[in-house]
């Protein structure tokens, strides 16, 4: 079963081609004739949603949702994918799902609709420059990589993320450690001579403690998709979330937008794990002393709110030595995350050079000693 949808179309009023969102601007632009038109949408503000809303409105599990079919009005082809937006696989026309933006933030299809979007700020041309700098910055990068060409593919993607706000109150029990330095005097007997020595010894004394810490969390971020390695996404942080705009489909025109595949409830569990790290540090700070032990940490969460936000990432794939490497670029800050190949030959040559220097030194020392004798 698939869901047929009627996507937004983006015809260019200038030449009949298609307009797409121009990174770093508030317009849609035609890549062929340069025609520009303003982004559509009202003056809605970004809102946080009460977590209780999730249980109030019935939702289909995302794992059971059929992939959407995007028919293209321009060429008649159909493109299928679990996406909010994509490019027609035949003519490349931008197709964006019509997502209802409601107060409950649950779309008719039974999914949570995006609340906010962080628009692309960096253009494709700049990504290539960043990519070249990234691959050649490594010392042993193969020479062929220093000239990354158009052969690599660069694709703009919006990745779904959940953000959570929460007020937390945490009761803890533990111990405070106080270090005391004691000086010990002892004598040694060596070759019939008696020597007096001092020795410093650290001793930690533990006293039981209990207390309470509170903290308000704002926009704790977790990926809404498992299709991209979460470790890579963490390294793309931080994101300028304050610059997020209320969701408007126009921002997605010309970019691929993944549908979320991590349920918001699962996202909240992961967000709580991030919060726990901060809370435990708060507890240790309050305990003070020279060392701390935490035995029980009990947190109650209140005023929990959530929202679905789309974050812009340039995904670059390049081939080298029969292997493909994937690089992610934060399209707001320019942070680059990914693999870089290194040249085996260059590493071998570097090692050989070091060995040669050692050999020369050894020969030099041997010659010097043989001259002296
Ligand atoms: Zn045009
Ligand atoms: Zn098409």
């Amino acid at each position: 079963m698939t869901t047929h949808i009627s996507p937004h179309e983006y015809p260019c009023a200038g030449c009949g081609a298609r307009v797409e969102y121009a990174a770093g601007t508030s317009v849609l632009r035609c890549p062929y004739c340069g025609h520009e038109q303003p982004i559509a949408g009202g003056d809605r503000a970004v809102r946080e949603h009460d977590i209780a809303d999730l249980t109030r409105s019935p939702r289909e599990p995302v794992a059971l949702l059929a992939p959407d079919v995007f028919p293209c009005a321009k060429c008649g082809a159909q493109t299928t994918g679990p996406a909010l937006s994509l490019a027609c696989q035949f003519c490349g026309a931008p197709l964006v799902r019509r997502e209802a933006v409601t107060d409950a933030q649950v779309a008719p299809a039974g999914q949570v609709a995006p609340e906010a979007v962080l628009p692309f700020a960096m253009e494709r041309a700049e990504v290539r420059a960043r990519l070249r700098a990234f691959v050649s910055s490594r010392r042993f990068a193969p020479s062929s990589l220093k000239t990354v060409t158009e052969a690599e593919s660069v694709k703009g993607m919006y990745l779904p993320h959940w953000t959570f706000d929460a007020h937390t109150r945490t009761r803890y029990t533990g111990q405070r450690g106080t270090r005391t330095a004691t000086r010990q005097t002892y004598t040694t007997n060596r070759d019939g001579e008696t020597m007096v020595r001092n020795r410093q010894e650290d001793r930690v004394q533990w006293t039981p403690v209990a207390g309470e810490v509170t903290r308000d969390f704002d926009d704790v971020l977790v990926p809404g998709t498992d299709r991209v390695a979460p470790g890579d996404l963490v390294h793309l942080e931080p994101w300028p979330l304050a610059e997020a705009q209320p969701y408007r489909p126009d921002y997605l025109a010309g970019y691929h937008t993944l549908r979320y595949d991590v349920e918001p409830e699962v996202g909240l569990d992961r967000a709580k794990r991030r919060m726990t790290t901060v809370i435990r540090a708060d507890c240790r700070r309050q305990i003070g002393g020279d060392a701390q032990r935490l035995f029980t940490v009990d947190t109650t969460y209140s005023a929990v709110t959530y929202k679905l936000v789309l974050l812009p990432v340039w995904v670059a794939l390049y081939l080298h030595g029969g292997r493909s490497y994937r690089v992610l670029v934060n399209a707001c800050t320019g942070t680059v995350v990914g693999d870089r190949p290194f040249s085996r030959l260059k590493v071998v040559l570097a090692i050989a050079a070091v060995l040669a220097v050692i050999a020369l030194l050894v020969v030099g020392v041997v010659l010097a000693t043989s001259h002296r004798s």
Side-chain angles (χ1 to χ4, degrees):
M1 256 293 285
T2 46
T3 318
H4 284 253
I5 54 173
S6 55
H8 285 281
E9 306 279 343
Y10 292 90
C12 169
C15 72
R18 290 290 184 273
V19 289
E20 50 189 53
Y21 172 63
T25 70
S26 53
V27 297
L28 294 162
R29 189 184 294 141
C30 172
Y32 303 99
C33 74
H35 169 81
E36 288 185 358
Q37 62 190 68
I39 278 173
D43 275 339
R44 210 170 54 83
V46 173
R47 291 182 36 182
E48 310 288 338
H49 299 268
D50 187 346
I51 197 82
D53 287 353
L54 285 175
T55 46
R56 247 173 248 142
S57 25
R59 251 181 323 126
E60 251 184 275
V62 271
L64 299 182
L65 287 175
D68 300 302
V69 177
F70 292 75
C72 176
K74 197 181 170 198
C75 75
Q78 291 191 335
T79 309
T80 307
L84 294 184
S85 73
L86 38 69
C88 169
Q89 59 176 330
F90 286 102
C91 74
L95 303 168
V96 180
R97 195 190 158 103
R98 284 178 205 275
E99 200 71 67
V101 181
T102 64
D103 278 353
Q105 220 207 348
V106 175
Q111 294 163 263
V112 177
E115 172 64 34
V117 55
L118 200 51
F120 271 77
M122 188 188 285
E123 290 178 335
R124 188 182 296 265
E126 202 181 332
V127 177
R128 294 200 194 279
R130 296 257 176 181
L131 188 63
R132 268 191 289 274
F134 174 76
V135 291
S136 60
S137 65
R138 188 135 155 184
R139 194 171 179 161
F140 296 116
S143 314
S144 59
L145 265 188
K146 304 231 160 111
T147 52
V148 172
T149 57
E150 302 294 305
E152 87 276 13
S153 82
V154 177
K155 192 173 172 184
M157 288 189 96
Y158 281 107
L159 300 180
H161 279 68
W162 299 107
T163 75
F164 296 92
D165 294 355
H167 174 73
T168 64
R169 181 176 292 275
T170 305
R171 298 201 55 81
Y172 66 84
T173 60
Q175 287 182 332
R176 178 189 302 115
T178 314
R179 208 163 269 139
T180 45
T182 53
R183 190 174 274 242
Q184 282 191 324
T185 311
Y186 65 103
T187 53
T188 52
N189 204 322
R190 199 160 150 219
D191 303 334
E193 252 181 285
T194 307
M195 289 174 77
V196 180
R197 285 171 191 272
N198 287 316
R199 188 168 54 188
Q200 195 103 332
E201 210 166 72
D202 270 0
R203 243 190 229 135
V204 180
Q205 240 172 359
W206 295 99
T207 37
V209 289
E212 190 180 274
V213 291
T214 58
R215 183 178 271 273
D216 285 311
F217 287 96
D218 182 39
D219 284 349
V220 177
L221 193 70
V222 288
T225 178
D226 282 335
R227 292 196 190 97
V228 182
D232 288 348
L233 293 183
V234 166
H235 287 113
L236 285 178
E237 293 179 23
W239 293 92
L241 290 176
E243 289 162 29
Q245 300 294 313
Y247 174 74
R248 285 173 203 153
D250 284 4
Y251 284 123
L252 276 50
Y255 302 90
H256 191 120
T257 309
L258 284 182
R259 205 160 77 178
Y260 70 85
D261 52 272
V262 171
E263 296 284 0
E265 292 86 352
V266 176
L268 178 59
D269 280 343
R270 294 179 187 177
K272 281 181 178 176
R273 254 177 268 159
R274 287 195 94 162
M275 294 186 216
T276 300
T277 311
V278 177
I279 291 170
R280 291 183 74 92
D282 285 347
C283 295
R284 286 177 185 278
R285 206 172 304 117
Q286 195 183 68
I287 291 173
D290 301 313
Q292 305 83 29
R293 284 173 174 162
L294 282 171
F295 295 150
T296 60
V297 177
D298 255 319
T299 303
T300 46
Y301 297 84
S302 54
V304 180
T305 57
Y306 76 98
K307 69 173 180 291
L308 180 59
V309 55
L310 306 174
L311 302 181
V313 176
W314 285 108
V315 183
L317 281 173
Y318 62 93
L319 274 166
H320 186 81
R323 240 198 91 181
S324 81
Y325 295 86
R326 192 192 59 183
V327 174
L328 305 177
V329 183
N330 180 322
C332 289
T333 63
T335 301
V336 183
V337 173
D339 317 319
R340 275 174 287 199
F342 59 87
S343 156
R344 266 172 218 286
L345 180 66
K346 282 193 182 177
V347 172
V348 168
L349 287 177
I351 293 171
V354 170
L355 289 177
V357 170
I358 292 172
L360 282 174
L361 286 175
V362 169
V363 169
V365 169
V366 168
L367 286 176
T369 13
S370 60
H371 270 280
R372 219 176 285 148
S373 54

